[in-house]
Amino acid sequence: QVQLVESGGGSVQAGGSVRLSCAASGYSFSDYDYMAWFRQVPGKQREMVARINAASGTTYADSVKGRFTISKDIAKNTLYLQMNSLNPEDTAMYYCAADPRSPPVCGVNNCYGAYWGQGAQVTVSS
């Protein structure tokens, strides 16, 4: 059974940093997997924050460019999201996702992707 488990969330003051980890079990990450971080606040659509893939490189949402960095350690089977210069608008539940064939995506009512984690809450106070 494949599981993605996020860790590292918590509460931080504005301007601070948090690093999220996403550890996979039952599945071995490959450089060519599409791996991504999403976030969601209550009542809003889940949005892509950052994505990484060996062929297409890294992609970031405009709102986090220059502040967040996605990375992976294939040997540790772990995906990371380093978040710096956090502000209250970054408060959300953060989810990791992975798919061997195509980028995970979310629409208004559904998200698509082979594997998803359960989420890690990040709360930024002003």
Side-chain angles (χ1 to χ4, degrees):
Q1 183 180 356
V2 176
Q3 279 192 315
L4 302 183
V5 179
E6 299 95 338
S7 62
S11 297
V12 64
Q13 288 193 325
S17 299
V18 169
R19 188 175 84 154
L20 299 179
S21 300
C22 171
S25 61
Y27 182 77
S28 294
F29 284 152
S30 119
D31 277 329
Y32 290 92
D33 282 345
Y34 293 90
M35 291 179 272
W37 287 96
F38 287 74
R39 67 185 181 187
Q40 187 171 26
V41 297
K44 291 194 174 181
Q45 180 177 334
R46 191 174 296 186
E47 63 173 356
M48 194 276 289
V49 172
R51 185 174 69 223
I52 189 168
N53 169 266
S56 55
T58 56
T59 303
Y60 295 94
D62 287 343
S63 59
V64 306
K65 279 180 183 176
R67 301 188 299 122
F68 290 13
T69 303
I70 187 171
S71 63
K72 59 189 176 183
D73 187 328
I74 298 299
K76 294 183 177 180
N77 224 26
T78 302
L79 179 71
Y80 302 99
L81 184 68
Q82 177 68 44
M83 303 187 290
N84 299 328
S85 301
L86 286 162
N87 58 62
E89 289 70 37
D90 296 314
T91 295
M93 185 73 79
Y94 284 74
Y95 299 88
C96 62
D99 194 297
R101 297 181 182 83
S102 60
V105 294
C106 286
V108 175
N109 296 312
N110 289 293
C111 291
Y112 302 91
Y115 310 113
W116 289 83
Q118 292 301 304
Q121 178 69 36
V122 174
T123 302
V124 185
S125 58
S126 57

